[in-house]
Amino acid sequence: MIEKIFKDIIENKVFSTLIVAVVTWVVKTQYDRYIKIRPRLYLTSGIVLYSQMVRGMMFFDFTWNMDISIKNNSQHTAEQLNFIQIEGYEFSDNPDKLLDKNNHLEKYNFSNISSTMKKEIPYEELANVVYEGDQRVIYPGLKQNEPSEFYKPKGLKELRLILKYKNEKGKSFYTYYTKINGEERNILFSFNPLVLGRFLTLFYR
């Protein structure tokens, strides 16, 4: 009888120890994946450079160039970086291709990305063109005093980007970046912020 009791105690103790070991392993694995090993990426955008040219007296070509800097402010490498398009993002280049040459970012490192926005405006929409009979008369000046501001893409006035990246365990993280009226903001998420829908643009500006 006593031997059976001791045997049951030992078996229960071994079983309990095994359960504790399994639970500990599961908790540690999930902690490492979701909390401990977490890259933290922050974005900032530089000064917008602008140029315009007339093409064959038919079109005005407007070009805006902007640099985006991404910094990994953590001790963990961020892998598989790619942008998710958000309201106001109108880059002529596919945002997913902007990081082709840099699909990971080492700890405490940064990367600069250059991108271009372009617009084609019909010549007569902007130039002071008047028809006098069959004659096309072009007067000096433009219809818009500041065409670079008037035609500036929405993405440069209210820029919203989401950068997706993974840690070494394959867990995805997100940085939601906004630049509205010159004010920048970075918000880090451990889930895809797009699930927040309209709430995202209303409350995370």
Side-chain angles (χ1 to χ4, degrees):
M1 181 69 176
I2 296 177
E3 290 182 0
K4 185 176 184 304
I5 293 175
F6 275 107
K7 185 178 180 181
D8 290 343
I9 292 174
I10 292 174
E11 289 179 351
N12 289 335
K13 186 175 181 180
V14 172
F15 180 73
S16 299
T17 302
L18 181 61
I19 292 297
V20 170
V22 171
V23 171
T24 301
W25 177 81
V26 171
V27 170
K28 183 181 185 303
T29 300
Q30 297 304 306
Y31 174 79
D32 287 346
R33 185 183 184 194
Y34 289 93
I35 300 176
K36 182 180 178 181
I37 306 175
R38 177 169 185 166
R40 297 177 180 274
L41 303 191
Y42 294 87
L43 287 74
T44 185
S45 57
I47 298 174
V48 178
L49 301 178
Y50 159 79
S51 64
Q52 74 177 53
M53 63 176 293
V54 178
R55 177 160 44 95
M57 303 296 284
M58 295 293 293
F59 298 99
F60 283 93
D61 290 327
F62 293 88
T63 303
W64 294 265
N65 296 305
M66 183 176 67
D67 289 336
I68 297 176
S69 178
I70 306 171
K71 181 179 180 180
N72 185 352
N73 194 24
S74 75
Q75 60 180 347
H76 306 292
T77 298
E79 302 176 355
Q80 300 181 40
L81 281 68
N82 69 286
F83 282 112
I84 300 175
Q85 186 170 340
I86 297 296
E87 175 186 347
Y89 191 61
E90 299 177 2
F91 285 115
S92 57
D93 298 325
N94 185 335
D96 290 338
K97 294 182 179 179
L98 294 176
L99 293 169
D100 276 353
K101 296 181 180 179
N102 179 38
N103 60 1
H104 72 280
L105 193 57
E106 298 291 341
K107 61 181 181 179
Y108 300 116
N109 208 340
F110 69 92
S111 175
N112 290 322
I113 302 169
S114 296
S115 190
T116 301
M117 293 184 179
K118 295 182 178 180
K119 274 193 176 182
E120 180 185 87
I121 307 299
Y123 184 82
E124 295 188 6
E125 179 179 324
L126 183 57
N128 285 319
V129 178
V130 176
Y131 284 90
E132 298 178 355
D134 295 332
Q135 289 279 65
R136 185 191 190 205
V137 181
I138 302 174
Y139 290 96
L142 299 173
K143 294 177 182 178
Q144 297 293 336
N145 293 328
E146 297 183 3
S148 64
E149 289 297 320
F150 184 80
Y151 291 107
K152 180 183 286 187
K154 182 180 178 182
L156 289 177
K157 298 177 181 178
E158 296 187 3
L159 182 60
R160 296 182 177 88
L161 302 174
I162 289 181
L163 180 65
K164 178 183 178 182
Y165 44 95
K166 296 182 178 182
N167 64 9
E168 63 187 49
K169 301 289 186 180
K171 170 68 176 72
S172 296
F173 297 94
Y174 304 81
T175 297
Y176 176 54
Y177 168 79
T178 62
K179 185 174 184 180
I180 300 175
N181 297 324
E183 183 178 348
E184 295 181 299
R185 187 175 183 184
N186 284 274
I187 304 172
L188 306 185
F189 290 91
S190 58
F191 61 90
N192 189 339
L194 284 177
V195 301
L196 297 175
R198 187 60 180 169
F199 179 85
L200 183 67
T201 58
L202 290 176
F203 294 92
Y204 292 97
R205 297 176 63 102

